[in-house]
Amino acid sequence: MRKTVPMRIGDLWGDFVKNSPKVSRGLAEARAAEYWATVVGPAAAAYTLSVTVKNGILTAKLSSSVLRSELFMQRDALRDAINRAVGADVIRSVILK
């Protein structure tokens, strides 16, 4: 009969994420959308209708064309700030609609 050592689910999950780059990247992309409001600030976040991330592209739909024009010029800085907040280079580009 074989005995197994009980392990905590948090330890198992951490090992799984660490050893699965695709899962790790997917989780980081999901967190990137959550950091949008923090990076752009509460005033700009109020005009944000939706934020999605797919294949390294963050797409933000904004209700203000003036804000869209202002953020358009800051796309690289936004991308870098979100990647720093997530702790990984998961966002390659930012699209504003």
Side-chain angles (χ1 to χ4, degrees):
M1 181 186 273
R2 148 181 154 195
K3 292 185 179 183
T4 60
V5 177
M7 294 183 69
R8 294 181 1 183
I9 191 74
D11 295 337
L12 291 171
W13 179 253
D15 290 342
F16 173 71
V17 170
K18 191 185 330 176
N19 295 325
S20 304
K22 191 171 184 178
V23 172
S24 179
R25 183 170 179 80
L27 291 172
E29 280 188 356
R31 286 195 324 259
E34 296 173 8
Y35 282 111
W36 173 258
T38 305
V39 170
V40 297
Y47 290 101
T48 303
L49 301 174
S50 68
V51 178
T52 58
V53 178
K54 186 174 182 180
N55 297 326
I57 300 172
L58 184 140
T59 304
K61 293 184 181 177
L62 305 170
S63 62
S64 169
S65 61
V66 174
L67 178 63
R68 186 179 318 114
S69 295
E70 185 177 327
L71 292 179
F72 181 82
M73 296 188 195
Q74 301 173 12
R75 289 177 302 162
D76 293 337
L78 290 171
R79 180 198 63 219
D80 295 341
I82 291 171
N83 283 336
R84 272 194 309 275
V86 171
D89 285 336
V90 293
I91 302 300
R92 291 179 290 130
S93 65
V94 175
I95 297 176
L96 303 167
K97 292 185 176 186

